[in-house]
Structure formats: structure tokens, C-alpha cells
């Protein structure tokens, strides 16, 4: 698996784009086997059971001892703080139901394919995260005038495109202070599992996954923009070698629970003629979804789905939708769904290509074989 070629690759700089007909490599398979998606049938749960939630880890899952864990709050503050788990748990707590999505979701469907974690459409999940608002802790530290960004560093360490680093992400001060961002120590009513950031992670509702820093060690207030690798290089929309624009909030998406039952290898769905209630979930990090449309004829015609009332769990969680389908014509077809959010952003039918494969919210297509009853 570690061919001379792949050793060469980690000392060379930019992310590679696959040749037009290049197959998935063992390196990509290795990433896909470590970082799992949420099986789409789990779109049925309002809150994703922890083991079904998607998982993404750039390096190794660090072994962090909760008893010895400390959070350092440092930098451009009046009082630097060191907080242990008991101190964090003694502060006023909040629970938020939040849908997460990896910014690389949809990458493997791009053509040509940017080489990285090869997600299809399953890098998503919704959990109930509980903890302390970040604003409370920053308030205690006393952010000084002139602060610009807040940097969050995890306990995991690795090398990425030649750059050795602790995983770290920066967030603008106003986002960090908006009261929505949590220092979370619980997922779905239980302590965080190791793979989801135990003992404490950041939860930044509405943002793509890269902002949700796990195994949090340090919160550092900066009087200048954060220029770490994950902000300045990795999570950016680029066509070539330019700096590009930063990837921020989650673009609108709808996903459908695949109906009927699957063929083992192709996962083509087998559906009988007759009436079917198609259901799914929809979300956007930019505000409420205003509509979901469904096509049952490969995108030729579209109809409006019914949206369930907004989730009582909150504005950051996905919303359920449903659509009555009368399957009449026997033979192969494709089911599609697409969301529009309050900003009027609509999921594209054509791929929004960029060379790092970020935020591909192109509509989902489910191949179906309709058979006579
Ligand atoms: N410390 C640390 N935090 C991290 C990551 C990481 O590799 N290290 N991966 C990020 C990315 S890219 C995503 S998509 C989310 C995934 O969160 P989850 O695995 O809990 O679903 O975690 C983010 N937080
Ligand atoms: Mo991600």
C-alpha cells in the first residue's frame, strides 16, 4: 500500500486530480474504510444514533485521558484559563440538535475526481450535542479589543501535503461569540465517543465539518487572521493554484431514503409498481429550507415535496420531507431530489467542480428498477 509513489506524494505539495478514467486507488480505499458515511436508510432517524453518524478523522484518533484533560484558553484575553472537565461541567449547559456534513461530501462524484477522502453523498448526520457555549468561556477569559479570530487546536497530529501539524481551525471572532457555538462533551445524551472527539469538541452549527474541531486542547484568541493549513490551504474553493475563497457554511442539500430494496453490488433499488411515500431530510447552514422538489423520471419533470414542520429540536437540524410517488411505468428510472434555501440557493443538477472537491451539493440520483406487481 505504501508504494514508493505514495511516499513521494506526501512530500509533494498540492492535492492531485485523478486522470479521466483513473480508478479509485488503495490509498483512497484506506481512507474510505477508516472514515465511514451514514447509511442513507438512517435518514429515517430524527437524531442519528452515534454509531451511524458519519465519521471523519484526518490523522489518528488520539488516546485522550478524560481525567488528565485540560483546555487552555490563551492569547488575546484578559485572563488565560486552564479548565478541566469538572470545571467545564459546572458551567451553565445547553443542548443543540445539529446536522453536520463534511465539506468533502460528494467529492467522489466529481469528474475529474480530486484525490482525497472519496465520499459519495453519505457524509452527514444529526446529533444532540450538549455542553457549554463557547461565548461563556471566552467571556470568562475576557476577549481584548483588537481580537480578530479564534483558533481551535485538537490533540491529533499528522502530516498533510508535506505540512506537519496538529489539526487546527480558526473561526472569526463574531462567529465564535454568537452564542450558538458549543464546547460539547456529550453526544446524544452520553459522553462523546473517542472517534467523535472525547472528551470535548467544538460544535459550530451551520458550518461544514472541518470547523467542528474534535479532541479540543486549546482555544487561542488572535489579534490577526488565523493562517493555519486547514484555513489557508485545505478548505478553499480553487480551480487551479490560486488562494481561492474559504469554505464556510453548509450549502443546501436534500437526501432521499432509498426506497424498496437494494441489489447487493450495484445498490440499484428494486421497487414494485404502485404507490410509494418517498421521504428524506433537507438542511442548509445558511438558514431555513424553503422547498424540496422531487423528480421520478431522471430529472425531466419535478414536483414539490411536503416539508414537515420545522424540527422542534432547533434551527440547525435537518427537516423531514415526503413525496407521494405512483410508480406506473415498469423498467429503469432515476429518482432525484433538490433543496432550495431561504437565500434562494438551489442544488445544482450539474457538478460545481473545484480542484479540492469541496461542497459538491449536486442533486442525489437514485437508480431504481420498477417491476410489475
Ligand atoms: N481534531 C480534529 N477535528 C476534526 C477533524 C480532525 O481530523 N481532527 N476532522 C474534521 C472534519 S473534516 C469533519 S467532517 C468533522 C467530522 O466530525 P465527526 O467525525 O464527528 O462526524 O470533524 C472535524 N473535526
Ligand atoms: Mo470533513
Amino acid at each position: 500500500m505504501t508504494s514508493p509513489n505514495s511516499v513521494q506524494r506526501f512530500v509533494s505539495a498540492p492535492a492531485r486530480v485523478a486522470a479521466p478514467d483513473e480508478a479509485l486507488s488503495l490509498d483512497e480505499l484506506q481512507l474510505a474504510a477508516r472514515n465511514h458515511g451514514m447509511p442513507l436508510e438512517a435518514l429515517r432517524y430524527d437524531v442519528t444514533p452515534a454509531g451511524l453518524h458519519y465519521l471523519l478523522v484526518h490523522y489518528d484518533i488520539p488516546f485522550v485521558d478524560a481525567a488528565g484533560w485540560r483546555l487552555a484558553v490563551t492569547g488575546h484575553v484578559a485572563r488565560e484559563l486552564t479548565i478541566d472537565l469538572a470545571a467545564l461541567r459546572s458551567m451553565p449547559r445547553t443542548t443543540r440538535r445539529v446536522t453536520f456534513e463534511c465539506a468533502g461530501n460528494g467529492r467522489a462524484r466529481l469528474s475529474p475526481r480530486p484525490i482525497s477522502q472519496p465520499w459519495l453523498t453519505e457524509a452527514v448526520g444529526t446529533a444532540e450535542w450538549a455542553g457549554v457555549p463557547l461565548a461563556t468561556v471566552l467571556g470568562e477569559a475576557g476577549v481584548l479589543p483588537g481580537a480578530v479570530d479564534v483558533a481551535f487546536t485538537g490533540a491529533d497530529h499528522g502530516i498533510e501535503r508535506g505540512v506537519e501539524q496538529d489539526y487546527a481551525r480558526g473561526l472569526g471572532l463574531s462567529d465564535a461569540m454568537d452564542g450558538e457555538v458549543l464546547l460539547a462533551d456529550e453526544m446524544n445524551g452520553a459522553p462523546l465517543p473517542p472517534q467523535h472527539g472525547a472528551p470535548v469538541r467544538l460544535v459550530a452549527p451551520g458550518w461544514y465539518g472541518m470547523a467542528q474541531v474534535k479532541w479540543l486542547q486549546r482555544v487561542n484568541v488572535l489579534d490577526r487572521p488565523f493562517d493555519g493549513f486547514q484555513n489557508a490551504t485545505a478548505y478553499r474553493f480553487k480551480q487551479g493554484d490560486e488562494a481561492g475563497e474559504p469554505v464556510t457554511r453548509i450549502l443546501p442539500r436534500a437526501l432521499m431514503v432509498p426506497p424498496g430494496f437494494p441489489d447487493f453490488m450495484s445498490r440499484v433499488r428494486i421497487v414494485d409498481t404502485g404507490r410509494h411515500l418517498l421521504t428524506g431530510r433537507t438542511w442548509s447552514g445558511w438558514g431555513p429550507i424553503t422547498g424540496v422538489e422531487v423528480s421520478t423520471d431522471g430529472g425531466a419533470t419535478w414536483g414539490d415535496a411536503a416539508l414537515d414542520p420545522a424540527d422542534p429540536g432547533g434551527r440547525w437540524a435537518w427537516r423531514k420531507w415526503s413525496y407521494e410517488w405512483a410508480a406506473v411505468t415498469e423498467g429503469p428510472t432515476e429518482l432525484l431530489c433538490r433543496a432550495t434555501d431561504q437565500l434562494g440557493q438551489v442544488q445544482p443538477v450539474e457538478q460545481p467542480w473545484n480542484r479540492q472537491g469541496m461542497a459538491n451539493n449536486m442533486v442525489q440520483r437514485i437508480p431504481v428498477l420498477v417491476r410489475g406487481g
Side-chain angles (χ1 to χ4, degrees), residues 53-60 62 100-104 119 123 129 153-156 167-169 187 195-197 201-202 208-216 235:
H53 194 283
Y54 88 94
L55 180 71
L56 193 114
V57 179
H58 281 230
Y59 315 129
D60 289 350
F100 279 5
E101 181 175 5
C102 180
W119 293 122
W129 301 100
T153 306
D156 48 333
Y167 186 91
R169 276 282 305 183
M187 178 187 194
Q195 69 273 29
H196 291 294
R201 79 177 302 169
L202 199 68
Y208 275 116
M210 73 282 163
Q212 324 292 341
V213 179
K214 303 193 268 193
W215 314 292
L216 198 59
Y235 289 95

Side-chain angles (χ1 to χ4, degrees), residues 93-243:
R93 297 175 65 77
T94 313
T95 302
R96 298 197 198 297
R97 188 176 295 184
V98 182
T99 297
F100 279 5
E101 181 175 5
C102 180
N105 203 16
R107 177 181 291 126
R109 296 204 183 275
L110 291 172
S111 176
R113 180 178 83 257
I115 305 265
S116 183
Q117 165 67 30
W119 293 122
L120 296 168
T121 49
E122 299 93 334
V124 57
T126 297
E128 297 230 315
W129 301 100
V132 175
L134 174 66
T136 305
V137 171
L138 289 178
E140 229 169 83
V143 174
L144 295 174
V148 174
D149 274 0
V150 184
F152 303 89
T153 306
D156 48 333
H157 189 87
I159 186 164
E160 199 162 339
R161 289 186 253 151
V163 181
E164 189 174 333
Q165 56 193 287
D166 293 335
Y167 186 91
R169 276 282 305 183
L171 203 58
L173 184 70
S174 59
D175 290 309
M177 292 296 285
D178 75 358
E180 299 297 318
V181 179
L182 294 184
L183 299 170
D185 64 341
E186 287 185 304
M187 178 187 194
N188 298 350
L192 295 189
Q195 69 273 29
H196 291 294
V200 175
R201 79 177 302 169
L202 199 68
V203 171
W207 285 72
Y208 275 116
M210 73 282 163
Q212 324 292 341
V213 179
K214 303 193 268 193
W215 314 292
L216 198 59
Q217 301 278 290
R218 184 167 176 216
V219 174
N220 191 28
V221 180
L222 299 171
D223 60 1
R224 59 190 156 77
F226 177 71
D227 62 358
F229 181 91
Q230 303 299 340
N231 281 71
T233 304
Y235 289 95
R236 303 192 77 93
F237 294 104
K238 312 183 190 197
Q239 294 298 315
D241 287 327
E242 79 279 18

